[in-house]
Amino acid sequence: MIVIALVWLLAFGLQCSPPVLTQRLIKDPWKSFYLDAVIVSSLVSGVPSVSICLLMHSQQSLAVGLTHAINSLAAVGNALVPEDSSFGFLLLAGGVVHYLMCSTLSFVYLSIWSALAPPEREKKQYEFMALGTAGMILVHLINLHIVPTFWKMPLLDQLLIETTSWPHLCDHLMFGFSLTHFIVHQRYRLNKLKI
C-alpha cells in the first residue's frame, strides 16, 4: 500500500507542477510544450493499472505486481510484433505503440485547444477537460474492443482475460484527464506563443 501511495503522490506532483522537461533540448517553444504534454500524460496514464496490478498481487510480492505491470506493456507490443518474439522486443514494441498513441492524441487535443480563441479557452477550460477525458472512452472501445476483432493479438487477449478491461479503461481516462489538465494548467506557455 505504501508503494501505491508513493506512485500516486509522484503522479500528482508531476501533474500539478510539471517540470519544464524539454526546453533546454528543444528551442522551439511549441514543440517543447507538446513533448512535455506527451511525457507527463503518458507517464501519469499508467498509474491506475500499475496500482491495480500491485493490489491484485499484494498477497504475493511487490516484484510479482511490478512484473505483471511490465508484462502489460509487452502485451501491447503484440500489436506490432508476433507473440513469439523475445520479451525485450515485445516490451520495446509496446513502448513504441504507447508513445505513438500518446503523441497522436496529444497532437489532436492540442490542435483543438489551439483552435479556440484565447477568451474562449478561459470560458471552456472545464468543458475541454471533461470532454477530453470522456473522449478517451471512445479510444478505449476502439483499441481494446473493436481492433482486436480483426487484428489478432493473443498476448493482449490473454492480458484482458487476466485483468479485465477495467484497469485499462482507467488508464485511458487518466490519460485524457492528465493531458487536458496539463494543457489548461500550462496554458500561459501557449499564450506566450500567441497560439
Side-chain angles (χ1 to χ4, degrees), residues 22-182:
T22 60
Q23 281 190 339
R24 289 188 179 185
L25 298 173
I26 299 171
K27 299 305 178 192
D28 184 324
W30 195 92
K31 288 179 182 174
S32 171
F33 182 89
Y34 166 69
L35 282 176
D36 284 350
V38 173
I39 291 167
V40 169
S41 55
S42 62
L43 287 174
V44 171
S45 71
V47 169
S49 63
V50 169
S51 301
I52 292 168
C53 283
L54 290 173
L55 282 173
M56 285 171 55
H57 299 283
S58 60
Q59 299 303 317
Q60 294 165 303
S61 71
L62 177 62
V64 171
L66 289 174
T67 299
H68 194 79
I70 292 168
N71 287 342
S72 298
L73 187 60
V76 171
N78 193 197
L80 283 185
V81 298
E83 62 273 11
D84 56 359
S85 301
S86 70
F87 181 74
F89 199 47
L90 281 164
L91 202 58
L92 178 64
V96 168
V97 170
H98 181 69
Y99 175 77
L100 287 175
M101 289 294 298
C102 290
S103 58
T104 302
L105 288 165
S106 296
F107 182 79
V108 170
Y109 278 48
L110 264 170
S111 298
I112 292 168
W113 179 257
S114 299
L116 296 172
E120 288 295 300
R121 292 177 194 168
E122 295 299 322
K123 291 178 189 173
K124 297 185 176 178
Q125 57 185 338
Y126 298 113
E127 290 94 330
F128 176 72
M129 289 175 65
L131 289 172
T133 303
M136 292 305 296
I137 295 172
L138 179 62
V139 172
H140 173 80
L141 290 172
I142 292 169
N143 282 354
L144 296 184
H145 296 281
I146 296 172
V147 170
T149 61
F150 58 85
W151 192 329
K152 296 304 175 195
M153 296 174 276
L155 294 181
L156 188 59
D157 294 340
Q158 183 61 37
L159 174 70
L160 294 176
I161 290 168
E162 290 174 11
T163 64
T164 75
S165 65
W166 287 106
H168 312 290
L169 174 60
C170 292
D171 281 354
H172 285 126
L173 291 172
M174 180 65 96
F175 174 83
F177 173 77
S178 174
L179 177 60
T180 54
H181 178 271
F182 180 91

